[in-house]
Amino acid sequence: MLLKSFGTAGALMYIERNYLPDIAPFFSEVSNVAGLPKGFGFVVAFNVALGGFMIAATGFKVGSMRNKFKELAKKDGEEEVEFRYSLPNLYVQGVSKHAKAFNCCQRAHQQALETFTQFTAFSLMGGLRYPATTALSGLIWLYGRKVWGESYMNQEGDPAKRYAQFGSTGIWLGLLMTLATCSGSAISILGIY
């Protein structure tokens, strides 16, 4: 995955640096905001704003799933449902099918929170020099995050199936590609390339 991500990002950064200014000069034109390239707006829109919206939406879904599985657990006669399923418990204790299903929903959201800070930081730094490649990496991450999260939440407690749908590995491909663009920006800022 690492070689695939860095190889793809490296090829796209090369194209962006050497050919995109002639094909689509908009991306590299200087905006009226702090001398940033106009293409950086796509990074902010996709990777930061839309990414943040997706994280929030996943959090709301976890809240509704908590209520859904709490009611199903009560209906099935599980013990200590209020204590086990209610906040401030992040995860539900137990091995019932409802506990496993809810915990998969919670884990999908938690994993997104665990990686969003790095994704955002890599995007903001990478987008300074490579806004088109970074924005495309963000779209890959967004699609992967959507598919991966839905797979994780819809498997009724089977976390092994979270990569079952096409595109779910995009969460890692997009993240590592933004790491590559961030590294490329650093190299460019340092004057190495």
Side-chain angles (χ1 to χ4, degrees):
M1 179 63 72
L2 186 63
L3 289 175
K4 180 180 180 180
S5 302
F6 272 74
T8 302
L12 291 171
M13 290 186 303
Y14 179 82
I15 292 168
E16 182 171 355
R17 186 175 186 128
N18 295 299
Y19 300 106
L20 195 61
D22 295 330
I23 299 167
F26 172 83
F27 281 97
S28 56
E29 289 175 358
V30 178
S31 74
N32 59 356
V33 179
L36 295 170
K38 288 183 179 179
F40 191 75
F42 289 109
V43 174
V44 173
F46 298 150
N47 302 29
V48 180
L50 195 53
F53 176 78
M54 183 172 282
I55 297 290
T58 304
F60 292 132
K61 177 139 183 164
V62 170
S64 68
M65 292 292 106
R66 181 181 297 275
N67 292 332
K68 172 188 172 182
F69 289 115
K70 183 191 296 186
E71 292 306 315
L72 289 171
K74 285 179 185 177
K75 183 179 172 187
D76 285 357
E78 287 186 29
E79 295 182 14
E80 300 181 333
V81 171
E82 283 298 325
F83 173 74
R84 291 174 41 235
Y85 283 81
S86 296
L87 292 170
N89 296 326
L90 191 60
Y91 293 98
V92 175
Q93 297 299 316
V95 293
S96 71
K97 65 181 179 181
H98 303 307
K100 287 180 180 179
F102 171 75
N103 287 342
C104 282
C105 294
Q106 177 60 40
R107 182 67 197 132
H109 179 57
Q110 188 66 33
Q111 195 280 341
L113 292 172
E114 291 167 3
T115 57
F116 188 60
T117 303
Q118 294 90 343
F119 172 74
T120 304
F122 296 157
S123 295
L124 292 174
M125 295 298 105
L128 292 173
R129 179 63 185 96
Y130 299 103
T133 303
T134 304
L136 178 61
S137 302
L139 290 174
I140 292 169
W141 183 85
L142 286 165
Y143 179 75
R145 173 68 48 212
K146 180 182 182 307
V147 172
W148 187 86
E150 287 174 353
S151 295
Y152 214 157
M153 290 184 177
N154 292 330
Q155 296 306 323
E156 298 299 320
D158 186 0
K161 295 182 179 177
R162 65 190 182 274
Y163 292 106
Q165 288 187 18
F166 174 78
S168 57
T169 57
I171 62 169
W172 302 115
L173 181 62
L175 178 68
L176 292 172
M177 285 177 68
T178 59
L179 172 59
T181 62
C182 179
S183 301
S185 282
I187 290 168
S188 183
I189 290 168
L190 292 169
I192 297 170
Y193 175 75

